[in-house]
């Protein structure tokens, strides 16, 4: 049995949910995610994929979260909002690619967002603790998905293009409108979630029998939106869920068994509409694993 693990986008809140889901998956099945024949991550999932590929256990990932989330839960914290962006569109080529129907309409709309200013130095340093600077993680099949700003197309670092794990993860996590795009080899890259929450279809023809998909940004169950912000979040989630369903069908046609792991309705209520709000991380962690 050759098994893959695909870890999707979800921001700082979705990262906590995904760590908890992986720990529960291992506890219930006895399967260690580090033993996946293929690890692929997008955005927050790229951090997890790299950590697992570097040999970090789900137990250690959970313990690390316990140390960090309490510092971020202060009610007066302002790190749930991005710094003021640059008032210029992120990528006109992405808009034009959308008009030509080369990329999904929502990915084209991302090109109209203002260019972010936030720095991802802390993220880079966290990857440096796992992988020597300038190197790719030693796992034989670890992929990190980002989007090329000039074409709107997804790139799987570790297969399509090559760079260091640090730069690939920074690129995959460059949330449009929040973080500045990351330049690699003269090209600018942004969050892989701008096109697909999981990019599951990129592994359709890999030599795998079974694929676990851990996807914080999609759902099969919803709760009614109670605010304007939740209305837009549910809309985005609905679009991303539909895209994942099509990707699952493509993998199944290629002969793979796909197991989807997605948030339940109560978990969506805990996540809230802003997946970049670190103040929600503690309650999400406690819901899965009470202190």
């Amino acid at each position: 049995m050759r098994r893959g693990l695909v870890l999707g986008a979800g921001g700082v809140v979705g990262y906590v949910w995904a760590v908890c889901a992986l720990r529960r998956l291992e506890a219930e099945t006895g399967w260690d995610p580090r033993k996946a024949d293929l690890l692929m991550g997008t955005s927050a999932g790229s951090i997890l994929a790299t950590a697992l590929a570097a040999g970090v256990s789900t137990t250690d990932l959970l313990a690390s979260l316990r140390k960090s989330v309490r510092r971020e839960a202060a009610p007066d914290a302002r790190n749930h909002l991005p710094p003021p962006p640059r008032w210029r569109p992120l990528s006109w080529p992405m808009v034009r690619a959308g008009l030509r129907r080369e990329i999904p309409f929502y990915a084209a709309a991302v090109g109209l967002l203002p260019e972010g200013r936030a720095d991802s130095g802390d993220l880079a340093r966290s990857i440096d603790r796992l992988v020597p600077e300038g190197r790719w993680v030693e796992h034989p099949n670890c992929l990190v998905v980002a989007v090329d700003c000039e074409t709107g197309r997804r790139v799987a670092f570790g297969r399509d293009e090559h760079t260091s794990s640090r730069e690939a993860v920074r690129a995959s996590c460059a949330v449009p409108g929040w973080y500045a795009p990351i330049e690699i080899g003269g090209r600018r890259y942004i969050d892989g979630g701008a096109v697909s929450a999981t990019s599951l279809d990129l592994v359709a023809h890999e030599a795998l029998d079974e694929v676990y998909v851990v996807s914080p940004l999609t759902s099969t169950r919803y709760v009614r939106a109670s605010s304007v912000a939740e209305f837009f979040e549910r809309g985005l989630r609905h679009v991303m869920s539909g895209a994942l369903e099509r990707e699952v069908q493509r993998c199944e046609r290629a002969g793979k068994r796909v197991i989807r792991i997605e948030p339940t309705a109560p978990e969506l209520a805990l996540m809230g509409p802003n997946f970049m709000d670190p103040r929600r991380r503690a309650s999400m962690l406690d819901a899965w694993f009470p202190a």
Side-chain angles (χ1 to χ4, degrees), residues 63-88:
S64 178
L65 277 180
R66 287 225 177 270
K67 293 178 182 177
S68 66
V69 296
R70 304 302 172 188
R71 298 193 300 269
E72 301 165 338
D76 58 345
R78 301 292 296 173
N79 55 352
H80 64 293
L81 298 173
R86 293 180 174 87
W87 292 109
R88 63 189 184 205

Side-chain angles (χ1 to χ4, degrees), residues 223-276:
V223 291
R224 185 184 298 274
S226 59
S227 68
V228 173
E230 286 186 352
F231 175 81
F232 283 104
E233 184 270 341
R234 297 293 186 271
L236 173 64
R237 188 173 291 275
H238 179 74
V239 169
M240 290 296 190
S241 300
L244 176 58
E245 180 61 34
R246 292 188 291 275
E247 293 172 1
V248 169
Q249 291 172 4
R250 181 174 176 182
C251 283
E252 290 177 339
R253 287 196 298 271
K256 293 169 178 57
R257 177 173 181 250
V258 179
I259 301 96
R260 295 168 60 166
I261 302 172
E262 298 165 281
T264 63
E267 289 159 2
L268 288 183
L270 284 174
M271 284 181 169
N274 180 3
F275 54 82
M276 294 295 287

